[in-house]
Amino acid sequence: MIAQFIGGDQRYWDDALPELTLALNSSVSASTGYSSAFITQRREPRLPKSLFDAQTIDTGQEALSPMEKVTKIREVFEIMRRKLEKAGQDQARHYSLRRWQWKPAVGDKVWAKERNLSNAAKGFAAKLAPR
């Protein structure tokens, strides 16, 4: 996500961290069906008010008793457990779908991946470079 956001100038990648962190924490995971902020904090993060008009702002806080909160979070974790189990099975099935064993023989021609090397003097980080 950082590499996509910064584009060509890699020197100022850390300026975008607050926005990227909010985007990651508030995005809903396909595997769990919940955002990581909800999973860890039991509530959705407050988004900047500039994204919404005054009528759509919702604090997300419900008036629940402590026992109701425990019951609700257990239900959420059970739903997440089932979804993660299904996602793992789907990923394993997809991974194994066209997998075949291949071992090159001595003398076979193979493609080798060429990697870019980082260069601090030029302000270039290989891990942030386009693929």
Side-chain angles (χ1 to χ4, degrees), residues 103-122:
K103 293 187 180 183
V106 176
D108 285 353
K109 291 185 180 183
V110 296
W111 288 93
K113 188 179 259 189
E114 186 176 312
R115 304 229 182 245
N116 295 323
L117 297 177
S118 297
N119 187 339
K122 293 181 182 177

Side-chain angles (χ1 to χ4, degrees), residues 1-4 7 10 113-118 124-131:
M1 196 170 176
I2 293 172
Q4 295 298 319
Q10 298 180 353
K113 188 179 259 189
E114 186 176 312
R115 304 229 182 245
N116 295 323
L117 297 177
S118 297
F124 178 77
K127 66 182 177 182
L128 299 178
R131 301 270 178 222

Side-chain angles (χ1 to χ4, degrees), residues 20-125:
L20 294 173
T21 303
L22 178 64
L24 284 173
N25 289 339
S26 61
S27 63
V28 176
S29 168
S31 297
T32 62
Y34 296 97
S35 69
S36 59
F38 182 79
I39 293 169
T40 57
Q41 302 169 0
R42 297 191 317 243
R43 66 179 179 86
E44 295 295 339
R46 282 190 227 147
L47 298 176
K49 290 183 181 181
S50 62
L51 297 176
F52 303 100
D53 58 5
Q55 290 82 23
T56 61
I57 296 174
D58 181 20
T59 61
Q61 300 294 326
E62 300 175 18
L64 298 175
S65 71
M67 201 60 196
E68 291 172 329
K69 288 180 183 179
V70 169
T71 304
K72 183 177 179 180
I73 201 67
R74 283 187 180 155
E75 290 171 2
V76 167
F77 281 135
E78 181 60 30
I79 291 168
M80 282 185 346
R81 187 189 61 74
R82 279 189 258 125
K83 286 186 175 186
L84 284 173
E85 190 175 291
K86 183 183 180 313
Q89 291 170 351
D90 290 347
Q91 289 172 0
R93 183 180 44 80
H94 181 71
Y95 176 79
S96 301
L97 189 61
R98 291 182 180 86
R99 182 164 169 75
W100 54 283
Q101 296 295 325
W102 176 76
K103 293 187 180 183
V106 176
D108 285 353
K109 291 185 180 183
V110 296
W111 288 93
K113 188 179 259 189
E114 186 176 312
R115 304 229 182 245
N116 295 323
L117 297 177
S118 297
N119 187 339
K122 293 181 182 177
F124 178 77

